[in-house]
């Protein structure tokens, strides 16, 4: 499920001058819902944020609300099954199979009745558009598989799509999820950066958008009467923003039937206080919050300096601040997430200030008046976090606090998420980034997207769609490529790659995001907590029991 550059000073200006309103802060946002209780046939879902953008293919837009809308409004060749594997979505596809091994070719057959809400058919054009954006645009999710595609051919009026790859690609089922309406977007003003920024120009799922009101904090979805497959059971699903107290009160009174929200320990306790009225669980999100260190520049090009910075951090305290004691899960591996099969801790570097001092001394720094200095210049880093996304900003402020206390000068820049994710791997971007690492049903593609080099070059200045710090280790690339084409098992590749990545100190995982999911007893649902797939995958079957 796959992944104009400004100078750092410009990023700081943008962050201070942006017209983008600050994100809601847990515990301080909208008041308790004042809307009437849900009508028969309507299901109201309480959420902590409906902030856009909504592009599921952009790292900057990864959020619960983006996952919800892409699941309910956009078509996919494959969907993630409850066990985490990709499963053919027969609401869109007739079939999808490897039809040739030399060259490696996959043939997709799209249902003849599958169409966008404006009547345009879902066709090869949509496959071509998504592949082009994921291959070329920075800030994308799981882009490595798309970069292997050498050709896409259309037959039968676009309903048969032949995709040819440069090498065998066993992870091809992870491609072409959440297709976008190419006929409306390919020439749209603003290009890829503006795709699904505030709205959906066309949809093709069991629901359609009736209202998207960000200031009011409400998104109303109605059953799509033009949907060619089995219709949704509910007439309407309304996503309504509130703070933790408001969410709890709405569940208590029956204004909401379901809550899906990022919660701290206090928010979880409030939901659990409702007792038998609701079932409270946690649902892992397909995102790990991490710290990425760019291996370039006067200071961070030195592996000893990067390692020292990581050793200076009390990672336990950073995780505590970021999760707030809520359901988010500590992550101790660089490729797999805690919710994925095969996950096991592989690190991380320890909190060891004494070792950090030794490394900084070896790199030529000396502590002067509490500041690490080399040749008269203080050790200084620029730390970036998206201004419009939590918990990234809270994590960044804690990292800044700890490093400053340890004698490192830290400038915190907070551009909007899209600017940060698109510029992270360039010389102009921050040299330390607090941001998302995607979690997908094809971990080899995540490995290649996040840590791989640009094909046919080892230029670390070249920005990859998913490689947010421009990292490139030529010696690791053959192993990464082997994991991607299946000639080496993922476990074997992890055993080779992860120790080297830890040693180079280019990434530090912190925790996998998770939502609190609380449902009232009268709501009949499917599995609300399946990793990578919850809770909206079953929304087409949601039903309220009527008294």
């Amino acid at each position: 499920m796959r992944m104009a550059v400004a100078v750092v000073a410009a990023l700081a200006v943008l962050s201070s001058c942006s017209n983008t309103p600050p994100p809601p802060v847990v515990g301080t946002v909208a008041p308790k819902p004042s809307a009437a209780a849900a009508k028969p046939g309507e299901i109201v879902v309480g959420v902590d944020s409906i902030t856009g953008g909504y592009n599921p293919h952009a790292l900057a837009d990864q959020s619960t609300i983006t996952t919800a809308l892409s699941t309910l409004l956009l078509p996919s060749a494959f969907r993630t099954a409850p066990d985490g594997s990709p499963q053919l979505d027969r609401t869109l596809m007739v079939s999808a199979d490897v039809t040739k091994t030399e060259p490696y070719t996959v043939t997709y057959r799209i249902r003849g009745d599958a169409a966008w809400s404006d009547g345009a058919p879902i066709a090869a054009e949509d496959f071509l558009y998504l592949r082009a954006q994921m291959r070329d645009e920075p800030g994308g999710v799981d882009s490595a598989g798309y970069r292997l595609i050498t050709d896409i051919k259309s037959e039968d009026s676009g309903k048969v799509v032949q995709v040819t790859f440069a090498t065998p690609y066993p992870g091809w089922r992870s491609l072409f999820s959440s297709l976008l309406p190419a006929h409306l977007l390919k020439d749209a003003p603003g290009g890829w950066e503006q795709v699904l920024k505030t709205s959906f120009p066309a949809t093709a799922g069991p629901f359609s958008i009736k209202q998207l009101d960000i200031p009011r904090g409400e998104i109303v979805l109605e059953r799509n009467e033009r949907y060619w497959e089995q219709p949704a059971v509910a007439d309407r699903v309304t996503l309504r923003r509130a703070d933790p107290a408001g969410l709890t009160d709405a569940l208590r009174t029956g204004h909401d039937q379901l809550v899906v929200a990022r919660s701290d320990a206090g928010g979880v306790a409030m939901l659990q206080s409702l007792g038998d009225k609701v079932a409270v669980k946690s649902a892992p999100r397909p995102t790990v919050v991490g710290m990425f260190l760019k291996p370039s520049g006067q200071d961070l090009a030195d592996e000893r300096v990067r390692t020292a910075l990581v050793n200076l951090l009390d990672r336990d305290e950073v995780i505590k601040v970021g999760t707030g004691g809520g359901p988010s899960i500590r992550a101790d591996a660089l490729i797999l997430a805690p919710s994925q099969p095969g996950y096991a801790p592989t690190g991380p570097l320890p909190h060891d200030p004494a070792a950090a001092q030794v490394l900084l001394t070896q790199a030529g720094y000396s502590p002067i008046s509490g500041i690490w200095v080399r040749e008269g210049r203080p050790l200084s880093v620029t730390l970036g976090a998206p201004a419009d996304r939590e918990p990234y900003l809270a994590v960044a402020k804690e990292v800044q606090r700890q490093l400053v206390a340890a004698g490192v000068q830290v400038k915190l820049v907070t551009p909007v998420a899209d600017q940060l994710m698109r510029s992270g791997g360039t010389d102009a971007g921050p040299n330390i980034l607090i941001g998302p690492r995607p979690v997908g049903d094809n971990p080899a593609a995540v490995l290649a997207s996040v840590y791989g080099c640009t094909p046919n070059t080892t230029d670390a200045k070249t920005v990859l769609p998913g490689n947010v710090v421009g990292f490139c280790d030529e010696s690791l690339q053959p192993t990464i490529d082997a994991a991607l084409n299946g000639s080496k098992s993922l476990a074997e590749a992890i055993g080779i790659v992860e120790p080297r990545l830890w040693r180079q100190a280019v990434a530090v995982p912190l925790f996998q995001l998770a939502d609190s999911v609380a449902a009232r007893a009268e709501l009949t649902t499917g599995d609300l907590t399946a990793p990578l797939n919850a809770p909206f995958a079953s929304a087409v079957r949601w039903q309220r029991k009527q008294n």
Side-chain angles (χ1 to χ4, degrees), residues 32-262:
K32 297 178 182 179
S34 57
K39 299 178 177 65
E42 179 185 23
I43 295 169
V44 180
V45 183
V47 296
D48 60 291
S49 174
I50 64 164
T51 301
Y54 307 112
N55 186 347
H57 305 289
L59 276 171
D61 291 356
Q62 298 304 292
S63 68
T64 296
I65 202 68
T66 294
T67 299
L69 295 179
S70 62
T71 299
L72 301 179
L73 303 175
L74 298 176
S76 292
F78 285 78
R79 303 271 183 186
T80 304
D83 65 358
S85 64
Q87 186 177 72
L88 186 69
D89 187 347
R90 295 192 179 276
T91 65
L92 175 69
M93 305 300 303
V94 175
S95 64
D97 301 287
V98 176
T99 52
K100 191 184 298 184
T101 57
E102 196 60 47
Y104 196 84
T105 304
V106 177
T107 300
Y108 298 82
R109 298 184 183 276
I110 306 170
R111 287 177 50 154
D113 53 356
W116 295 101
S117 53
D118 62 357
I122 300 171
E125 177 184 30
D126 304 314
F127 283 64
L128 282 160
Y129 173 77
L130 184 57
R131 177 253 183 162
Q133 309 311 312
M134 297 304 292
R135 178 192 61 192
D136 300 335
E137 292 289 340
V141 175
D142 289 359
S143 57
Y146 291 96
R147 296 199 303 270
L148 292 178
I149 296 173
T150 58
D151 191 27
I152 296 180
K153 292 181 179 179
S154 169
E155 298 178 0
D156 193 17
S157 300
K159 288 295 184 177
V160 175
V161 187
Q162 289 191 340
V163 180
T164 304
F165 295 84
T167 67
Y169 184 45
W172 61 269
R173 293 172 182 82
S174 65
L175 304 176
F176 302 114
S177 64
S178 296
L179 291 167
L180 302 171
H183 64 292
L184 298 175
L185 296 176
K186 61 185 178 181
D187 298 319
W192 182 248
E193 291 184 53
Q194 296 301 312
V195 165
L196 308 190
K197 181 62 67 178
T198 58
S199 63
F200 287 71
T203 60
F207 291 91
S208 58
I209 287 186
K210 177 178 176 61
Q211 176 180 294
L212 199 162
D213 191 334
I214 292 177
R216 188 180 175 188
E218 189 171 88
I219 300 176
V220 179
L221 308 177
E222 288 191 335
R223 183 192 297 123
N224 182 4
E225 300 299 341
R226 301 190 64 171
Y227 190 48
W228 56 92
E229 249 294 342
Q230 182 175 348
V233 175
D235 299 328
R236 175 182 292 189
V237 171
T238 298
L239 308 172
R240 186 173 294 153
R241 186 191 70 211
D243 65 10
L247 294 172
T248 303
D249 186 65
L251 273 180
R252 179 185 294 111
T253 60
H255 285 66
D256 292 0
Q257 288 70 56
L258 179 67
V259 160
V260 183
R262 184 176 62 86

Side-chain angles (χ1 to χ4, degrees), residues 397-486:
K397 288 179 178 178
E398 176 61 19
V399 170
Q400 180 187 38
R401 183 192 70 78
Q402 291 190 22
L403 291 180
V404 168
V408 180
Q409 292 189 352
V410 181
K411 178 182 180 182
L412 178 61
V413 295
T414 57
V416 295
D418 185 65
Q419 291 172 334
L420 185 64
M421 294 300 111
R422 293 176 68 86
S423 67
T426 68
D427 288 339
N431 45 26
I432 301 180
L433 171 69
I434 305 298
R437 187 190 85 210
V439 179
D441 55 22
N442 182 9
V446 173
L447 167 61
S449 299
V450 177
Y451 303 111
C453 301
T454 304
N456 303 319
T457 181
T458 56
D459 179 6
K461 295 182 179 181
T462 302
V463 185
L464 287 179
N467 187 327
V468 295
V469 293
F471 172 73
C472 173
D473 184 336
E474 184 178 0
S475 66
L476 286 179
Q477 196 59 39
T479 300
I480 294 173
D481 290 339
L484 199 62
N485 65 33

